[in-house]
Amino acid sequence: MIVLLMAFSVWAHGNRRLEIIVQDGQIAGQGYLTNGIDDGGGITRPYVNAIHSHFAPVGNTGLYNNITGFDLIDAEPFEGSDLVLTLMGAGKWANPPAQDGTLLAQDFGTPQLSPLDPSENIEVFFGAAVDPVATTDSLGSFNLIDSVSGPVTDIDLLPLVDFDPSGSLYFLEWTLSTTNPLIADSESIYTILSPPGDNPVDRFHFQSLALERTLSVNASAIPEPGSLVCLAVGGIAILSRRKRR
């Protein structure tokens, strides 16, 4: 186990991205790793619309940030149109089951998801904006790319929190849309914000992969209760939106 954990320590901060693709006439986000090193979930995920990355402390400020990124490699379907990203909701998996030593083989069961606490506001910064483009207390949309004219990589979002995110997995629920009327909006796309830590166990690496599989679309093997979790996530988003009205 020690040898495996040392290997995962190297892998756990690989550059995880979501490639913006068109799948059956609909936008999707294909998770993949740009460093070419499998973190246990596949260099290219066998599912779409979910990826995780890890919070990191910002010096000694009490703030934590988490880089989540998109790439547009095949730009042709979107030529001349805008790509719009909308924050639809957020939630968390508080205190997921601990790693039992079996690493990737562990069954973490059905994630018990819940809304964010009132004190847990996640601000999302983008580009050169000095103010957040969206927050979990104030959902909204913004242009990810204006008038696509070719491939664009390293489209990075910066979720920022002023609370300690250790002990829970957080997620942001997005939709991607385009002004091209021939391409349908995406289903929910999830960026999972995992805690910081000194090793994969502290960073909930294995729980993060389990949550990716649960929230994703077209996963190769999701247990039947996964459909109930997806309904719960939808309920969380609806409750969040009602609360803000």
Side-chain angles (χ1 to χ4, degrees):
M1 179 179 176
I2 292 173
V3 173
L4 283 172
L5 285 177
M6 289 174 63
F8 277 114
S9 293
V10 175
W11 298 345
H13 284 287
N15 195 3
R16 299 179 183 86
R17 315 287 298 175
L18 283 167
E19 181 187 350
I20 301 168
I21 63 172
V22 177
Q23 187 178 75
D24 298 326
Q26 183 180 37
I27 302 175
Q30 176 62 69
Y32 76 108
L33 281 72
T34 61
N35 63 4
I37 302 174
D38 190 352
D39 67 350
I43 295 174
T44 298
R45 299 304 201 228
Y47 42 76
V48 297
N49 291 1
I51 197 71
H52 82 275
S53 62
H54 295 272
F55 277 111
V58 183
N60 296 316
T61 62
L63 301 174
Y64 294 81
N65 62 23
N66 186 313
I67 297 176
T68 62
F70 291 86
D71 293 325
L72 178 63
I73 297 172
D74 181 9
E76 185 176 355
F78 303 100
E79 290 280 354
S81 61
D82 298 340
L83 271 168
V84 180
L85 188 63
T86 302
L87 181 59
M88 302 294 293
K92 67 180 180 179
W93 184 11
N95 304 311
Q99 169 59 226
D100 64 8
T102 59
L103 307 179
L104 293 171
Q106 182 171 347
D107 180 2
F108 291 97
T110 301
Q112 301 300 306
L113 306 182
S114 60
L116 302 184
D117 295 339
S119 61
E120 295 174 326
N121 180 40
I122 302 174
E123 297 182 326
V124 181
F125 292 81
F126 175 62
V130 295
D131 295 316
V133 292
T135 79
T136 51
D137 280 346
S138 179
L139 308 179
S141 301
F142 57 95
N143 276 16
L144 200 63
I145 306 176
D146 294 312
S147 189
V148 174
S149 60
V152 185
T153 57
D154 299 321
I155 311 166
D156 289 332
L157 307 179
L158 187 66
L160 184 71
V161 300
D162 62 359
F163 58 86
D164 186 351
S166 301
S168 295
L169 292 174
Y170 296 85
F171 60 85
L172 302 174
E173 179 188 4
W174 307 92
T175 57
L176 265 170
S177 59
T178 175
T179 52
N180 182 344
L182 301 179
I183 301 176
D185 298 354
S186 73
E187 297 184 43
S188 291
I189 294 175
Y190 295 95
T191 48
I192 297 163
L193 312 178
S194 307
D198 296 328
N199 56 65
V201 172
D202 291 344
R203 292 194 291 266
F204 289 172
H205 177 70
F206 307 98
Q207 296 91 329
S208 297
L209 291 176
L211 189 54
E212 278 190 29
R213 293 192 296 270
T214 299
L215 296 179
S216 64
V217 175
N218 296 335
S220 56
I222 293 179
E224 193 64 30
S227 59
L228 299 178
V229 173
C230 290
L231 288 174
V233 172
I236 290 169
I238 291 170
L239 287 173
S240 298
R241 287 194 285 273
R242 285 180 177 172
K243 180 180 177 182
R244 295 184 181 92
R245 287 179 180 174

